Amino acid sequence: MRYFIQFSYNGKAYHGWQNQPNAITVQQVLEASFFTLLRQKIALTGAGRTDAGVHARQMFAHFEAPEITNVNDLVYKLNGLLPDDIAVQKIVEVPPNAHARFDATARTYEYWITPEKNPFYTHAAHYVKHPLAIEKMNAAAALLLAYEDFECFSKSNTDVYTYLCDIKVAEWTKKKDIFVFTIQADRFLRNMVRAIVGTLLDVGTGKSTLDDVKAIINSKDRRKAGTSVPAKALYLTKINYPDTIL
């Protein structure tokens, strides 16, 4: 039987989602908990990767296992076993060919900026002490929707087959005492969101212009884009699937 698991995590203590030989990851901890409860190795295939320190408010993975007669009970037991920074919301049976990564139609991220030093956001948002021109940052963000090749925002030396991404949403909003950048696309390149935010912050502080952003994208050169912002303020917030799956 094939199942999807929906879960969330605070990424501060983890070296990203995907298993690595010499670092603790979310996948490693989840798979170990499954093994403890089901007494068999469960291989989780995630909807994507998150880098070290990045958080996920909604993440999915698929796995295969003998029929689970009571998924609610398994969710309850997993949550009792997992550390406080990982939580499982649900496990659902899906069609045998459903794929957590390849069947996802959209992914949404948020990046949080705090405009003043705030001890409650030390590990949750990126503090920018310089005034930000949000209107200019939104104008720059809107430019992203007119492009599809984002090689300039991709981490160097990645083994991707294409740099094409279909960005549907890219906007800044003020939520209470923080600025939130929301971006949705069918797929993202490694480090892409953090590089985009760094570039938009350059616009917000007056370091770059809208024409500079256009030139950066057209250059396809990561060295011309802004500095990647810290991972601690990046959140994967939603993954969309066809109704035939979820």
Side-chain angles (χ1 to χ4, degrees):
M1 308 286 288
R2 180 160 290 198
Y3 296 90
F4 266 34
I5 178 173
Q6 178 185 331
F7 55 101
S8 55
Y9 54 86
N10 183 309
K12 180 183 177 183
Y14 302 100
H15 205 74
W17 152 255
Q18 192 169 9
N19 281 335
Q20 298 187 34
N22 299 308
I24 187 169
T25 66
V26 178
Q27 182 181 11
Q28 173 188 342
V29 174
L30 262 176
E31 288 181 346
S33 297
F34 267 107
F35 182 81
T36 298
L37 295 174
L38 300 181
R39 296 298 178 185
Q40 62 175 311
K41 185 176 180 180
I42 296 296
L44 296 173
T45 300
R49 301 176 182 177
T50 56
D51 292 335
V54 176
H55 317 291
R57 295 189 181 278
Q58 184 184 71
M59 179 64 153
F60 287 93
H62 75 252
F63 66 95
E64 293 183 346
E67 182 177 5
I68 301 172
T69 56
N70 191 332
V71 292
N72 291 332
D73 184 59
L74 179 57
V75 168
Y76 177 80
K77 290 179 178 178
L78 281 169
N79 281 325
L81 195 60
L82 288 165
D84 292 341
D85 50 14
I86 302 176
V88 176
Q89 284 77 51
K90 64 182 178 180
I91 295 175
V92 295
E93 182 184 347
V94 295
N97 62 342
H99 198 286
R101 178 183 174 190
F102 297 132
D103 286 335
T105 57
R107 297 162 173 85
T108 304
Y109 281 89
E110 288 183 359
Y111 196 88
W112 291 10
I113 297 288
T114 176
E116 60 183 27
K117 184 177 180 181
N118 187 324
F120 299 104
Y121 288 134
T122 300
H123 303 295
H126 177 40
Y127 169 43
V128 177
K129 62 182 179 180
H130 304 292
L132 295 173
I134 296 299
E135 297 81 4
K136 292 182 179 179
M137 290 164 62
N138 258 328
L143 294 175
L144 300 172
L145 278 63
Y147 293 86
E148 57 180 15
D149 188 322
F150 296 101
E151 184 174 356
C152 67
F153 297 127
S154 174
K155 190 171 184 178
S156 302
N157 302 318
T158 56
D159 55 350
V160 297
Y161 64 92
T162 177
Y163 294 99
L164 302 183
C165 304
D166 183 13
I167 297 180
K168 296 295 188 183
V169 176
E171 62 181 4
W172 289 90
T173 55
K174 182 73 178 295
K175 296 183 179 180
K176 296 183 179 180
D177 52 351
I178 61 172
F179 295 113
V180 178
F181 177 62
T182 303
I183 185 167
Q184 182 188 82
D186 60 338
R187 62 189 292 267
F188 288 92
L189 306 169
R190 286 194 65 187
N191 203 56
M192 177 175 168
V193 179
R194 292 164 61 195
I196 286 176
V197 173
T199 303
L200 298 180
L201 287 176
D202 284 344
V203 175
T205 57
K207 182 179 178 181
S208 300
T209 66
L210 298 186
D211 285 339
D212 290 333
V213 174
K214 295 177 185 177
I216 288 168
I217 298 174
N218 288 323
S219 74
K220 301 183 180 181
D221 187 346
R222 176 65 187 90
R223 293 169 297 179
K224 295 185 181 301
T227 303
S228 291
V229 288
K232 65 179 183 179
L234 182 59
Y235 301 82
L236 173 61
T237 59
K238 187 174 179 59
I239 302 176
N240 297 88
Y241 291 97
D243 293 340
T244 53
I245 296 178
L246 288 176

